[in-house]
Amino acid sequence: MFKFWCFTPMRVYALCEWSIFFNIITAQYNMAVSDKLVIQLLIGSHMQQITVRRDQEEIFRKAALLINERLNKYKTAYPNQGDAKYMSIALLDFAVKSLQLEQNVDTEPYNKSIESLTKEIEELLK
């Protein structure tokens, strides 16, 4: 069995067998190839190149579409304001919507109902 110096993921040179070295390189390559994807998104008038996980490509594309729709809405409603102004207004709009959604995720009524039902079930089981 041949042994030689190889480069491991922790950047340490070590004496290892060919099969171990091959498995390390293959695993790194498969992870890099299958897990990440470079996509280009047109947001406003700017092309953005970003790296995303393959399973999140669709949501990034939908987000870019949503941003562009919002920018076009503001461009139509308020012409001649400049891209920076449209971007800042759209950003503010999305931040407000995000905060509103966080406030609307109140689970307290559900928690009270679950506690009440749990007590009823426990009483019936006695």
Side-chain angles (χ1 to χ4, degrees):
M1 184 127 343
F2 294 104
K3 292 189 177 192
F4 59 96
W5 291 97
C6 64
F7 191 75
T8 65
M10 292 183 283
R11 297 181 185 226
V12 175
Y13 287 95
L15 196 61
C16 63
E17 297 175 7
W18 166 251
S19 61
I20 294 171
F21 176 73
F22 181 77
N23 289 339
I24 291 170
I25 298 301
T26 304
Q28 288 177 343
Y29 176 78
N30 288 338
M31 187 173 64
V33 169
S34 65
D35 194 34
K36 302 285 182 175
L37 179 67
V38 177
I39 61 173
Q40 292 185 348
L41 301 173
L42 182 64
I43 299 176
S45 59
H46 302 284
M47 185 63 72
Q48 304 293 331
Q49 184 173 348
I50 59 172
T51 303
V52 298
R53 290 194 334 246
R54 285 184 182 275
D55 62 339
Q56 291 192 334
E57 176 188 7
E58 184 179 354
I59 197 151
F60 274 87
R61 293 196 184 279
K62 285 181 180 179
L65 182 64
L66 186 62
I67 292 168
N68 286 325
E69 287 172 355
R70 193 66 47 96
L71 290 173
N72 288 333
K73 173 184 156 188
Y74 290 128
K75 284 180 183 179
T76 303
Y78 309 103
N80 303 322
Q81 296 294 320
D83 286 344
K85 180 114 177 181
Y86 300 131
M87 288 281 193
S88 62
I89 294 172
L91 182 62
L92 179 63
D93 193 20
F94 283 118
V96 168
K97 297 256 188 239
S98 175
L99 292 172
Q100 288 173 340
L101 286 173
E102 284 179 13
Q103 290 176 351
N104 290 339
V105 183
D106 182 21
T107 60
E108 189 61 33
Y110 301 110
N111 292 340
K112 289 180 181 179
S113 296
I114 290 172
E115 287 175 13
S116 172
L117 291 171
T118 303
K119 286 180 184 177
E120 288 180 28
I121 292 171
E122 287 174 353
E123 289 175 10
L124 290 172
L125 291 174
K126 288 182 182 180

